[in-house]
Amino acid sequence: MALIELNHVGLTFRVRTHGRITFKEYLIKGMFRRRASSIMEVRALEDINLRMGEGERVGIIGHNGAGKSTLLRVLAGVYQPTAGRRVVVGKIASLFEITLGFELDANGWENIAFRSYFQGETPRTLRDKVAQIAEFSELGDFLNMPLRYYSSGMMVRLAFSIATTIEPEILIVDEVLSAGDLAFQGKARARIEGLLDHARLVVMVSHDLNAISTLCDRAIWLDHGRIREAGPAAQIVAAYEQRAQAAQQQAA
């Protein structure tokens, strides 16, 4: 069974701020005097109630800063809620920050091992996957080079190829459909669709509303850290697009 349930979940970040002083004040008041500071609270998520179960494909949409990626990190257990309760049944695999765990001075082969171990693989489980990762990345002899000489596109190719060898019960995806160049994106989308077919529960964030409509059966519309609407994916995407168009016309 795969299940994620959030009951009245909230997440508040406490951020330390410092008062600004001019260079003249800095010299007059002393170079080593500590500047005044205060704590500012940022409410990233408020009163989130969700239940996602076996067989569902759930998309999360909203404007930049709406809290989409933050919500994914709460679902994945990266952030612990500061209010409410999170319940998870099933093994979670997440596809975000896919370059985390890379060592720039190590070559591609070594980084395949580093990043795979970070994902929970062992030397035994990784053994049969290395060739598959290398082939999918299409990096060839570049795998013998240190990563510091890779372009950003090459780095993403390798990271995506490693990250998508997982076999999850619950898959959490953040914007990986835009991985690499246009030629690689087609392969990336096909790989993700394969993962979607095998995972028992999928939650994904994407600015590609067409992908949300076609790959998901349900959508959550976040607005300033709160759920604005939830329901069938096509219906929620249409409502979101209508509101976005109205906002553009009003601003014109």
Side-chain angles (χ1 to χ4, degrees):
M1 179 181 179
L3 171 72
I4 300 179
E5 187 172 345
L6 302 183
N7 295 309
H8 301 289
V9 162
L11 180 64
T12 299
F13 295 111
R14 293 171 61 84
V15 181
R16 185 177 298 276
T17 61
H18 294 276
R20 293 185 177 182
I21 62 173
T22 65
F23 181 66
K24 182 178 180 180
E25 289 173 327
Y26 177 69
L27 294 177
I28 294 174
K29 293 181 179 179
M31 296 175 62
F32 302 105
R33 174 178 287 185
R34 295 184 65 183
R35 290 190 286 177
S37 64
S38 60
I39 300 296
M40 178 178 66
E41 291 191 345
V42 178
R43 294 184 179 179
L45 299 173
E46 293 187 65
D47 198 30
I48 301 294
N49 291 286
L50 281 176
R51 182 182 175 89
M52 298 172 284
E54 186 88 19
E56 286 195 286
R57 303 290 182 261
V58 182
I60 301 175
I61 62 175
H63 60 82
N64 289 333
K68 302 184 298 298
S69 294
T70 302
L71 178 57
L72 284 195
R73 282 155 178 75
V74 169
L75 296 175
V78 176
Y79 295 153
Q80 293 301 314
T82 52
R85 190 168 69 107
R86 167 184 172 269
V87 176
V88 175
V89 178
K91 180 182 177 182
I92 289 181
S94 54
L95 293 182
F96 47 75
E97 297 176 357
I98 56 177
T99 59
L100 189 65
F102 276 170
E103 293 290 338
L104 295 182
D105 289 324
N107 66 31
W109 296 108
E110 293 166 330
N111 273 288
I112 288 174
F114 296 154
R115 186 61 177 84
S116 296
Y117 296 153
F118 182 81
Q119 290 180 190
E121 299 284 356
T122 66
R124 182 180 62 82
T125 61
L126 178 61
R127 190 177 303 120
D128 295 332
K129 297 180 180 180
V130 171
Q132 176 190 350
I133 292 168
E135 181 181 359
F136 191 85
S137 73
E138 299 179 348
L139 290 173
D141 291 338
F142 286 107
L143 290 171
N144 298 314
M145 295 173 51
L147 257 65
R148 67 173 56 259
Y149 300 115
Y150 281 30
S151 67
S152 58
M154 292 165 64
M155 193 92 72
V156 169
R157 278 174 175 259
L158 182 59
F160 183 88
S161 302
I162 298 169
T164 54
T165 61
I166 55 180
E167 298 172 357
E169 291 177 310
I170 301 173
L171 178 64
I172 298 180
V173 183
D174 189 359
E175 290 294 357
V176 295
L177 293 176
S178 58
D181 54 33
L182 287 176
F184 191 73
Q185 284 181 24
K187 288 181 61 176
R189 187 181 180 102
R191 172 66 67 90
I192 287 294
E193 289 176 352
L195 288 174
L196 295 179
D197 289 339
H198 290 91
R200 296 164 68 176
L201 169 61
V202 177
V203 187
M204 64 182 293
V205 162
S206 178
H207 284 99
D208 183 349
L209 297 179
N210 182 60
I212 296 292
S213 294
T214 56
L215 298 178
C216 300
D217 47 54
R218 183 175 162 212
I220 310 295
W221 176 1
L222 279 188
D223 190 356
H224 295 93
R226 289 180 172 270
I227 295 178
R228 182 184 177 100
E229 288 188 41
Q235 176 183 318
I236 299 302
V237 166
Y240 178 74
E241 289 179 321
Q242 185 176 10
R243 182 174 182 271
Q245 291 171 1
Q248 290 177 350
Q249 291 173 355
Q250 191 173 20

